[in-house]
Every structure is written in structure tokens, then in C-alpha cells.
Amino acid sequence: MKSILDDIRNSIDIIDNKILDLVNKRFELIKKIGLLKFKYNIILYDKNREKKIIKNKILNNINNNISNNFIYNLFKIFFFESYKIQLKIINNKKSIKSNKNIVIIGGTGKIGKIFFNILDKKGYNVFSINSKNWDCFNINKADLIIISVPISKFKFIFDKVITICKEDCILVDVLSNKSCNIKYAKEKYNGPILSIHPMFGPKINNFIKKKILYINIKFKDKYIWFIDLLKEVGFILYEIDSVVEHDNYMKYIQSLRYLFFLLYSNILLKSNLNINKIIKYSPFNNEILIYLFFNFCSQNIDLYLEIINSNFCNNFDIINNLINDLMFLKLNININNKNLINKYSFLDNLNNLSYIKKINNNVNKLFNLFSILK
Amino acid sequence: MKSILDDIRNSIDIIDNKILDLVNKRFELIKKIGLLKFKYNIILYDKNREKKIIKNKILNNINNNISNNFIYNLFKIFFFESYKIQLKIINNKKSIKSNKNIVIIGGTGKIGKIFFNILDKKGYNVFSINSKNWDCFNINKADLIIISVPISKFKFIFDKVITICKEDCILVDVLSNKSCNIKYAKEKYNGPILSIHPMFGPKINNFIKKKILYINIKFKDKYIWFIDLLKEVGFILYEIDSVVEHDNYMKYIQSLRYLFFLLYSNILLKSNLNINKIIKYSPFNNEILIYLFFNFCSQNIDLYLEIINSNFCNNFDIINNLINDLMFLKLNININNKNLINKYSFLDNLNNLSYIKKINNNVNKLFNLFSILK
């Protein structure tokens, strides 16, 4: 039996090598397409084209042993790798659009460094400045200045910058909470201002499909090249209408999540449970939740508190709601669940909304991929 | 240019068909291995073998255009699909080990139905019973009875069952919270008792790598065949030492998560934000969190409240801690962050622990897969 098994396994190995050989040829052609796309300025990532092709591959699947699900997964990883390969080709071309000077204040910070590397690779003249090596000469020469400093230091740095920089220098902030600082900046400075918010942590190893939010503050036409440049390296950019809208969403997207994970960390610590056992005994969704929690733990606590503070210090609505809800739960849990069921009955309704179906589709895909990963 | 691009794309299509043809042959051989494994009773899923092979494939990668990451992803989906194919073959063989009679009380419930289908497919005589069609005849004939009823009804049903069933009938519970009911069951019944806890929701479409926790209550040797059967259909089974340990972990794995998502749902609803925009503006980790939240919303609220209630109604520690933490945050946020930083400074330490590195490795894999999925 052992020898039959080994024979079959050897045959599989031979097939695997043939497959990899074909994949290698496939990616060679993908490179050629990348060069064409670069030459004729064609968009690299076309989500709808990807969807259409995968749909067709599934429709035309004539192989008895291959499930539609496998086709989907296979071409998803083909497309992802192809996109990565083409991005690399285009970015290696060092497509400098001009010899612009760029300064990053706070460029030795984690997010500052990422921007430094991107712009440096692209071939711009990039200078990294922090409070200890303040550099008036390069600030004065700069065509674009990224101010990547803590929220509490922004106004101070901004005031220093605008007395030195050229009057048409583009100023870019990466603030997590924008309203009060950007209002100030808009009033004080007459040149172009762009407000961006990178939606990724400092540990990312590629920029593919990572998001950057941006808000047009003043003179968009002056810095549209910078937005295009960010798209070119793989980021997806979403424009938000106003800093108020931005801050309102971030209150829930960032601060609320940070708050939950802080509370969670404290409870987990007090529980004295073994974290490996928690993961082992957890269903997939809780396992993923713990991975997200540890991803949260890998950043600096000061940063989280600054963001929580900036969103919650003048408005205790969310914190008060949480306290009230917990009090309500405590009061009702021993009497009966009826009050609680009524309070949360909207959850049943939620599930009937049309967009929930689309979201649940994504949940299934996520769990499916998670099974593969494990 | 258009025609050159089309030519290359046609060549890629031809390569894709060749690849799929080879994959089809690969899976044909995988089927053969499945039959051999069935015949000689060899384990289907061997995690270490999988790891070793993928490592070798990466080491032997001689193709310039193929990244190690691609090899990893490709063989992960090969292995997953192979396992699925082999499972299907083996389970279609209807390997009945005896003509045992099995009764599922609450078999029309979501989890009950899943067990009904598994056992029915395997070829056992399965009978589904609920309170409306109580069936003494089949309960009396049963070799194994799964009691899949709400926590609050367990004792009542259990008492009824043990007056009717054979004295060596195996009783299996699927309770989410076990301590008090299982202590009762153990005292009252002299036959074999197995306690299991399925770690998956009712919507799963395959059992591969999904977890079932189990605790040996009485006479393990009588029901070891049932545990083996669950492994055979793809589940991963983890034994937990005691019901107390089980309940303690579930308090954090289930109840705490349910509690957080309930609080989250209430806040999200009050915010009046557009859920599509929240997802659009979210970094990957928050996007995944929202998917988990909607996965939570897709189940019945009564079930969650029953589990929260069973864990928290006699012990308000966690709820009190949450309230205290929120109060502390509220008090300190306006003064300064120092107190808060000290309180949460352990987060910085957490990150230095050795197991965090392994977990962060999984986080990276998760985000990588999420990029592919999107």
C-alpha cells in the first residue's frame, strides 16, 4: 500500500511542477501587460473586470473534479499576485513627474517613514524633519510638506511652517481628528491644503487595496498629482465631503473600537486565562476577534488615548450610553429577559435589510478563507 | 495597442485552461489517495505534513515570477480542496459501524438539524423528537440520545428522558453553559454521559476544521465511537478537563463577545451613520470587526441573552469592571492622559511576549487573505 501511495504522490508532485511552470509563464505575460498598461496609462486594478472574469471562469468550468469555490479562490489569488507584480513593475520605472521637493515633518515616525519611502522610491527629493533637526532651508524650498505630528502639537508646528514655506507650498496633514485643527489651518494659510487619513497601521507590508481617506480643503487642482501618485502605488483613495463628516465617522471607526479593545484588554488580563487556550477553544469568529485585538495591542497606547481623548473629551454621549446600557443589563438580567429582548429586538430586523445580505456574503467568504488559512 | 493586449490576454486564457486541466488531474489522484486512506484507515488531515510540504514547495521554488507568498496561498487552497474531496469520498461510503439507533431531542432546531443530517448521511437510524411529538418508543430503543434544548429546559427534558431510556443509553448534551446542569445530570443518571459544545454557528456550509469541544463526564469508552465519527466528518475535537474550565472559558469566548456586540449594536444604531460608508471608510481591521458584528446579528437574540444570562446573572464581576473602567476613563480623560497611560501600560508589555509573535503572524496572514478577498 505504502508504495502505491508514494507512486500517486510522486505523480502529484510532477503535476505540481507542471502547474507552477505554467503559472510562471502566466505571470511573465502579466508583466508584459503591466508594461503596456504603464505605456498607455491604463488603470491597473479593475474590480469589475476581475469579477466578470472570475464569473466566466466559473461558468465555463468543465472539469468534474473542480468546484466553483476552488475556481473562485484560485483566480482571486491569481489576480492579487498579478496586481502586485504589475504594481512593482510600474513603480520600479521611477516615474518622476517633476523634480519636486518634499518635506515630511515627523518623517521618522512610523507613518511618516512609510510616506518617506514611497516618495523616495518614486524619485522625489524627500527630506525628513523633526523637532530636533528643524531645517528652515528645506522647508523654504519645499513644494509639498506633509505634517505628520501628534494632534496636540499640530498648531504649533503648523504656525512655524507657514512663516517659512513658499506661499504656494502644498500642506498635507495626516491628523486622525481634524475638525478644530483644520479649521484653524484653513483660516491661517492661503495656499493649498490637503487633508489625508491613512487607514492602515504602521506594519503593512504592501499598499495594495489599503485605504487613504482625503478631504479637499483648499485648491484641489494644485495637489491632484499627489493623490494620483498615492493611487499609483496601490492605495485606494476615498474622498470625504467634510472634516466634520470625517470626524463623525472616525469616532465610531477608530475611537469606539479602541475603547472596546481597551476595556477588553483589562477584562482579559484580570481573567488570568491562558490566551492559547482561549484561541484553541474559540469558534472562528472569536479567534478572528482575538487576532484583531492583538493587532490593536501592537501599537502604542499613547496614540490610542490621544485619539480617544480627541473624540470623547468634549462629548460623553457614547461613554454615558455604554454605562447606561450596562446598568440596564445588570438590573434586568436577574428579573427576566423580556425587557432585554425588547431592547435588542432590532437585531432581528437588521438581518432583513438588503445590504446585510451582501455583508453576510463577505462574512462567508472571510470564514471560508479563514478555514483555508488554518 | 488594443490588439496586442487582447493577444496576450488570449494567451493567458489558454494557459489558464491548461492549468485547470492539470488541477483536474491532480484532484483525480487526490480521490485515489482518499480511497486508499479509507481502505487502510489513514488519517485524512495531517497538519504537520501539510506544513512540511508547503515549506518544501517554497524551498524548491525555481520560478522567477512566482513569490513565496503565492506558493503558500496556492498550496493552502490545494490542500483545503483536497481535504474536502477526500472527506466527501469517505463519507459517501456510508461507513456504518453498527445499526445503532440515535435520537435527537430538539432535532428540528438549527444545531439539532446539523447533527441529524450528519448521522443520517452516515446511515444510522436517526429520529428527531421535540416537545410536541414526544416519542417514548424511540427514546426507549435509543443507543444514543442528543439533548439539544435551551439551557432553561434541560433539567425538565433530562428527567423525562432518563425514566424512559435504556440504562446504558449514551446521553449527549450540547449546552453552552454546563456547570449546574451537568452536575445534576451526573448525579441523577448512572449511564454514560458525554458533554459537547459545537463551536460554530448554524449557517456553516462545511465542517472542515470547525471545532467541537467535549468533556468526558461518565464512561468515555462507551461513546468513543461517537467522538471518532465527528472527527471523520471533518470536525476538530478538543477535550476540556472539566465543565468548570469549560464554563470559565466560555464566559470570555462567548458571553463577553455577545455583551460587547450588544453594546456596539445599540451605539451604532443611535449614531445614525450609514453602514456602507462605515465599511468604506474603515481600515481592514474595523471592516473585519463589522463583518463579525453582522455575523453576530444573524442569529437569534434570545439565544445570546440566554447565554449572557447563564454566565453573568450570579456574578456581576465583568459588568461591574466594565462600568468602573468607563467611569475611570470619563474622569481622567479631561484632566490628563497620564493616569490612563499607566492603567493601560501593560499593553506595551503584552507585545513582547513570545506567543504574541505567533499570533501576529496569524494576523498578517488574515490581513493578507483579506486583501485577496476584497
Side-chain angles (χ1 to χ4, degrees), chain B residues 24-149:
Chain B
N24 197 49
K25 280 179 188 145
R26 189 187 200 281
F27 289 151
E28 194 62 46
L29 295 174
I30 289 294
K31 275 186 182 172
K32 280 189 186 163
I33 292 183
L35 287 170
L36 275 177
K37 282 183 173 171
F38 172 69
K39 200 170 160 188
Y40 295 99
N41 212 8
I42 304 170
I43 186 170
L44 275 198
Y45 177 62
D46 184 345
K47 198 172 179 172
N48 288 329
R49 201 184 121 80
E50 180 178 315
K51 261 191 189 169
K52 212 177 108 192
I53 292 177
I54 294 182
K55 206 177 156 190
N56 275 329
K57 297 280 183 193
I58 289 174
L59 279 173
N60 299 325
N61 177 21
I62 46 156
N63 301 286
N64 292 329
N65 299 320
I66 304 181
S67 70
N68 293 343
N69 205 18
F70 179 83
I71 302 258
Y72 180 86
N73 290 331
L74 181 70
F75 283 95
K76 270 290 184 187
I77 68 168
F78 273 158
F79 273 104
F80 184 72
E81 198 71 12
S82 302
Y83 184 40
K84 242 164 74 178
I85 288 171
Q86 293 183 346
L87 264 183
K88 208 175 162 188
I89 283 185
I90 292 190
N91 285 306
N92 279 344
K93 289 262 161 198
K94 289 212 177 198
S95 58
I96 311 173
K97 296 207 168 65
S98 75
N99 49 1
K100 287 187 164 69
N101 296 318
I102 296 177
V103 160
I104 303 174
I105 299 176
T108 49
K110 285 170 178 176
I111 291 295
K113 263 185 194 159
I114 290 173
F115 281 103
F116 186 94
N117 289 333
I118 290 170
L119 296 162
D120 185 52
K121 262 197 180 170
K122 274 274 171 190
Y124 289 96
N125 309 316
V126 200
F127 304 92
S128 176
I129 294 177
N130 59 43
S131 52
K132 281 169 202 147
N133 73 347
W134 195 252
D135 177 353
C136 292
F137 178 73
N138 277 313
I139 291 177
N140 178 256
K141 277 203 313 176
D143 301 294
L144 184 145
I145 299 176
I146 298 175
I147 305 175
S148 176
V149 298

Side-chain angles (χ1 to χ4, degrees), chain B residues 138-288:
Chain B
N138 277 313
I139 291 177
N140 178 256
K141 277 203 313 176
D143 301 294
L144 184 145
I145 299 176
I146 298 175
I147 305 175
S148 176
V149 298
I151 298 175
S152 54
K153 290 183 183 162
F154 182 81
K155 277 183 191 164
F156 173 73
I157 299 287
F158 186 84
D159 282 342
K160 275 177 81 175
V161 167
I162 57 174
T163 57
I164 309 168
C165 71
K166 291 192 284 190
E167 63 177 10
D168 62 344
C169 175
I170 299 157
L171 299 184
V172 182
D173 79 278
V174 294
L175 292 164
S176 300
N177 187 283
K178 296 184 181 290
S179 301
C180 74
N181 281 323
I182 296 302
K183 191 167 177 276
Y184 178 85
K186 202 174 170 181
E187 282 167 9
K188 280 265 196 152
Y189 184 63
N190 293 322
I193 306 177
L194 167 64
S195 195
I196 64 174
H197 192 180
M199 285 291 103
F200 49 81
K203 283 186 176 179
I204 53 164
N205 42 28
N206 68 62
F207 312 134
I208 298 180
K209 300 179 192 173
K210 303 294 189 299
K211 301 169 188 175
I212 295 180
L213 310 177
Y214 72 99
I215 306 145
N216 170 29
I217 308 294
K218 259 184 181 175
F219 307 123
K220 186 174 181 174
D221 55 321
K222 298 281 183 195
Y223 50 74
I224 195 92
W225 62 271
F226 183 70
I227 291 172
D228 288 341
L229 183 152
L230 294 174
K231 285 181 189 165
E232 262 174 42
V233 295
F235 291 114
I236 294 178
L237 275 94
Y238 290 123
E239 184 171 356
I240 297 189
D241 290 340
S242 68
V243 289
V244 175
E245 191 189 4
H246 168 274
D247 286 2
N248 200 20
Y249 275 91
M250 286 311 125
K251 195 164 150 185
Y252 296 87
I253 290 172
Q254 293 195 307
S255 302
L256 185 59
R257 177 164 39 100
Y258 298 163
L259 180 65
F260 270 122
F261 278 140
L262 277 180
L263 295 172
Y264 186 61
S265 67
N266 235 6
I267 287 176
L268 219 56
L269 208 76
K270 277 184 189 148
S271 78
N272 280 321
L273 294 184
N274 177 315
I275 189 79
N276 284 323
K277 276 195 179 177
I278 295 181
I279 293 174
K280 189 172 164 183
Y281 297 161
S282 285
F284 280 9
N285 42 16
N286 199 62
E287 213 175 314
I288 294 173

Side-chain angles (χ1 to χ4, degrees), chain A residues 139-166:
Chain A
I139 291 177
N140 179 257
K141 277 204 313 176
D143 300 294
L144 183 144
I145 299 174
I146 298 174
I147 305 175
S148 176
V149 298
I151 297 175
S152 55
K153 289 182 185 164
F154 182 82
K155 278 183 192 168
F156 173 73
I157 300 287
F158 186 83
D159 282 342
K160 276 176 80 176
V161 167
I162 57 174
T163 57
I164 310 167
C165 71
K166 293 192 283 189

